[in-house]
């Protein structure tokens, strides 16, 4: 099992809607009264944790603690392995926050991340996905492509 520990940090609604956070799904500790105050979880959402973080962060920042409280078992049938389903569900969650000033930017960000995951994990249509990534965000795609190319060169040369 791999342990993932992030630095202790506070995240605002803006951080969370733009996916600039390191909050792990199985590690939530939330006061029941705060959940009740938001109206509770939406049973029909697959990514209900992100939805709750967004609701809760409208009232106050969400804090990430730097301790391991849970382990997450990865296997071939994890919901998170179904890239297409996860991508669709992220957009579903965002639809509940269409009144946010960051909504359009967040949708564009999620579409880019969704395409990037498809590019990274799906073997067919790589060129088509890369073109779509550049269309969605040329600067971000160039930066990540260069970063990955340099990383691959360093790894390749370290074994020579």
């Amino acid at each position: 099992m791999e342990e993932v520990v992030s630095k202790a940090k506070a995240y605002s609604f803006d951080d969370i809607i733009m996916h600039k956070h390191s909050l792990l799904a199985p590690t939530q500790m939330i006061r029941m009264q705060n959940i009740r105050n938001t109206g509770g979880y939406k049973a029909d959402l697959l990514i209900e944790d992100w939805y709750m973080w967004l609701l809760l962060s409208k009232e106050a920042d969400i804090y990430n603690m730097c301790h391991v409280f849970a382990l997450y078992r990865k296997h071939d049938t994890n919901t998170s392995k179904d890239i297409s389903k996860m991508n669709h569900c992220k957009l579903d969650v965002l639809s509940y926050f269409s009144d946010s000033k960051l909504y359009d930017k967040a949708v564009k960000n999620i579409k880019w991340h969704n395409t990037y995951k498809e590019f990274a994990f799906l073997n067919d249509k790589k060129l088509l996905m890369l073109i779509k990534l550049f269309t969605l965000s040329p600067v971000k795609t160039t930066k990540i492509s260069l970063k990955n190319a340099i990383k691959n060169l360093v790894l390749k040369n370290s074994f020579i």
Side-chain angles (χ1 to χ4, degrees):
M1 296 254 172
E2 176 185 344
E3 287 186 9
V4 177
V5 180
S6 301
K7 292 180 181 178
K9 186 174 185 330
Y11 295 103
S12 68
F13 175 84
D14 290 358
D15 295 325
I16 296 169
I17 196 167
M18 293 306 297
H19 255 287
K20 294 180 179 180
H21 62 82
S22 181
L23 298 167
L24 304 175
T27 61
Q28 300 175 55
M29 291 184 354
I30 305 168
R31 287 185 176 90
M32 184 56 76
Q33 189 56 46
N34 292 12
I35 292 174
R36 286 185 184 116
N37 291 346
T38 66
Y41 283 90
K42 288 215 168 287
D44 60 331
L45 287 176
L46 183 65
I47 309 176
E48 74 286 345
D49 49 0
W50 189 38
Y51 171 80
M52 284 305 301
W53 297 334
L54 286 164
L55 279 182
L56 291 165
S57 66
K58 283 185 162 195
E59 302 303 318
D61 286 352
I62 304 289
Y63 291 90
N64 182 53
M65 297 170 62
C66 60
H67 303 287
V68 175
F69 292 105
L71 296 176
Y72 183 77
R73 186 173 59 92
K74 293 181 181 180
H75 52 82
D76 289 339
T77 59
N78 281 116
T79 303
S80 59
K81 296 256 184 183
D82 188 339
I83 295 170
S84 178
K85 187 178 205 175
M86 292 298 290
N87 290 348
H88 177 74
C89 291
K90 288 176 190 174
L91 293 171
D92 283 348
V93 169
L94 276 181
S95 71
Y96 288 94
F97 300 92
S98 60
D99 60 338
S100 166
K101 67 184 185 307
L102 290 173
Y103 176 75
D104 291 334
K105 194 173 179 181
V107 167
K108 186 177 178 182
N109 186 48
I110 288 297
K111 286 182 178 180
W112 187 91
H113 280 281
N114 289 352
T115 303
Y116 183 76
K117 278 191 172 183
E118 289 176 20
F119 173 76
F121 296 108
L122 302 178
N123 291 326
D124 59 336
K125 302 179 184 174
K126 287 270 191 194
L127 182 58
L128 183 63
M129 291 290 142
L130 189 59
I131 291 168
K132 188 174 176 184
L133 284 168
F134 274 103
T135 303
L136 290 168
S137 180
V139 174
K140 185 187 286 189
T141 304
T142 302
K143 285 170 70 174
I144 288 182
S145 296
L146 285 173
K147 182 179 173 183
N148 287 338
I150 291 168
K151 182 178 170 183
N152 287 336
L153 281 173
V154 168
L155 288 174
K156 193 176 196 180
N157 289 328
S158 67
F159 293 107
I160 294 177

